[in-house]
Amino acid sequence: MRFRHPDGSTVHLAYCTNVHPAETLDGVLAQLRDHCEPVRRRLGRDRLGIGLWLAKDAALALVTDPSALRSLRTELDRRGLEVVTLNGFPYEGFGAEEVKYRVYKPDWADPERLDHTTALARVLAGLLPDDVTDGTVSTLPLAWRTAYDDTRAETARTALRTLAERLDALQELTGRSIRVGLEPEPGCVVETTHDAIAPLTAIGHHRIGICVDTCHLATSFEDPHTALDALTAARVPVVKSQLSAALHAEHPHLPEVREALAAFAEPRFLHQTRTATAAGLRTTDDLDEALAGPALPDASPWRSHFHVPLHAAPAAPLTSTLPVLKSALTRLVGGPTPLTRHLEVETYTWQALPPELRPKGRTQLAQGIAAELTLARDLLTDLGLKELP
């Protein structure tokens, strides 16, 4: 979906396909048929943006076989789909029964991460629509915090500088500008937007910036306007933003609230949980850990890294951080010029919701994704952007 900003530029809205498990190119092609095109039809649109997630094997197939890349591009066009952004965070196995900490491997100190991200950039340059010259890729925020030391930090910085050089060369070769954004996430070396400023300033290249995920922003209790103003002041580019909402519990000391939260503690994904205290942020790596004992004080609200559907907040006594998303979006695209032109709805946890909230079959999932995109569209038009055909 495309929108005209009042400054005349085009803002792209997509939804991320990491909600549909697929590790191979054949799996990606099946996604387009079984999920993406039905969402587009449900929205009544001639064209729909998707943020592709390409696992290691799918990316390798596309970057080594020009005919496979052409076939994917043809299939996108045939189904009324377009790609301007990729989710390069998960490497493989994102559809596994247990993902948890595995999603952070390989990190930016491992050569596989540089190779994979380079492949994604090359693939994206070949997938961009004919009238679009700028593409974006979101990626791991350096590493999970526990496996990171000064040596690995320097290796990661070197890898990102190498990536920037490769992106420069790619633009010279193709005329397409691809930028990569570190996506701050709770528990990682770069947990917050503030954490991103020092390493990105040290790298000092306009092609390497930040991807602002509004669920992660909220989980870490960051104020969107403060965070985005600081990035602007530091001249850190917001490469893209993922529109998502976290799980919010206003009164976690109440038994009924803890019971409601327990329904969201599930074995597949990590649900880092945070609370803001007078002494600073208190944290656990997962929701069940927060519920099991005294690790997390419960005198003030809890937020958990669980991407809940944008249009359907959990039932009371829980809610979502949709107000944080709205505030961030106002700053991202509501000003005289947008801070970013690539927006991506990213609710990958539909099948991890409590059983009664999960979509039953493809049709219900398509309905849910379409409803999220409709909400995002309405937020954008309320900010003065004009939807394009």
Side-chain angles (χ1 to χ4, degrees):
M1 300 168 78
R2 298 187 185 191
F3 298 81
R4 179 75 66 215
H5 190 274
D7 76 346
S9 63
T10 300
V11 172
H12 294 263
L13 173 66
Y15 92 87
C16 186
T17 64
N18 63 353
V19 62
H20 313 303
E23 298 288 317
T24 65
L25 182 53
D26 284 345
V28 171
L29 294 171
Q31 285 177 351
L32 305 185
R33 178 194 67 222
D34 296 341
H35 299 290
C36 303
E37 186 177 9
V39 170
R40 178 184 66 76
R41 292 187 181 279
R42 188 164 292 280
L43 288 165
R45 305 286 307 167
D46 292 334
R47 173 173 57 189
L48 177 67
I50 57 171
L52 269 184
W53 171 58
L54 298 172
K56 173 194 68 169
D57 290 344
L60 187 62
L62 289 165
V63 82
T64 56
D65 183 354
S67 66
L69 185 59
R70 286 194 299 272
S71 295
L72 175 57
R73 173 72 185 273
T74 300
E75 191 70 1
L76 288 164
D77 291 342
R78 190 167 76 86
R79 299 195 181 278
L81 305 168
E82 67 177 16
V83 176
V84 303
T85 190
L86 300 180
N87 186 333
F89 195 134
Y91 182 71
E92 61 184 343
F94 201 60
E97 289 186 9
E98 182 178 332
V99 179
K100 297 289 184 182
Y101 293 95
R102 288 170 48 193
V103 76
Y104 307 107
K105 288 291 187 178
D107 65 35
W108 272 101
D110 298 320
E112 294 88 354
R113 178 61 65 172
L114 173 60
D115 292 343
H116 178 59
T117 310
T118 302
L120 292 177
R122 290 174 177 158
V123 168
L124 182 56
L127 292 180
L128 288 177
D130 291 340
D131 61 344
V132 174
T133 57
D134 298 317
T136 57
V137 181
S138 48
T139 190
L140 179 81
L142 299 181
W144 184 255
R145 68 184 187 281
T146 54
Y148 208 63
D149 55 24
D150 289 346
T151 301
R152 291 182 69 79
E154 181 55 38
T155 303
R157 281 193 295 270
T158 300
L160 285 164
R161 291 189 184 105
T162 300
L163 176 67
E165 292 168 0
R166 291 178 180 178
L167 297 176
D168 283 343
L170 185 63
Q171 181 170 15
E172 284 191 29
L173 183 67
T174 66
R176 303 294 177 85
S177 172
I178 308 297
R179 295 187 299 160
V180 172
L182 304 184
E183 180 187 333
E185 175 162 314
C188 291
V189 173
V190 175
E191 167 154 342
T192 65
T193 59
H194 177 77
D195 295 338
I197 291 174
L200 289 174
T201 303
I203 293 162
H205 199 290
H206 70 283
R207 295 200 190 277
I208 312 296
I210 192 169
C211 168
V212 175
D213 183 303
T214 58
C215 169
H216 304 171
L217 189 82
T219 301
S220 294
F221 287 87
E222 288 195 85
D223 173 72
H225 289 271
T226 302
L228 293 167
D229 285 349
L231 293 173
T232 301
R235 299 190 176 184
V236 171
V238 181
V239 166
K240 65 184 275 192
S241 180
Q242 287 170 326
L243 306 183
S244 53
L247 189 62
H248 180 96
E250 187 69 19
H251 302 294
H253 65 286
L254 296 176
E256 61 268 27
V257 175
R258 299 177 86 89
E259 183 181 354
L261 281 170
F264 287 84
E266 53 84 38
R268 187 168 172 188
F269 298 113
L270 208 58
H271 300 297
Q272 303 93 314
T273 304
R274 305 286 186 260
T275 187
T277 73
L281 213 60
R282 295 286 296 275
T283 70
T284 62
D285 280 356
D286 216 342
L287 179 55
D288 53 4
E289 182 187 346
L291 292 168
L296 209 62
D298 59 9
S300 55
W302 286 4
R303 289 178 179 171
S304 189
H305 173 220
F306 195 119
H307 291 224
V308 295
L310 302 186
H311 68 293
L318 303 178
T319 187
S320 82
T321 60
L322 184 63
V324 177
L325 184 160
K326 292 178 177 178
S327 179
L329 198 59
T330 299
R331 183 71 181 84
L332 285 166
V333 300
T337 58
L339 294 185
T340 185
R341 294 182 175 86
H342 289 182
L343 305 172
E344 179 181 64
V345 170
E346 197 217 11
T347 305
Y348 59 84
T349 40
W350 282 96
Q351 300 302 338
L353 290 166
E356 68 276 9
L357 301 179
R358 289 175 201 163
K360 295 171 180 62
R362 292 177 188 167
T363 300
Q364 285 193 10
L365 179 58
Q367 288 172 339
I369 293 169
E372 290 193 292
L373 286 166
T374 298
L375 181 147
R377 179 198 66 195
D378 291 346
L379 292 177
L380 291 173
T381 55
D382 287 348
L383 290 170
L385 282 74
K386 183 176 185 290
E387 188 176 6
L388 298 173

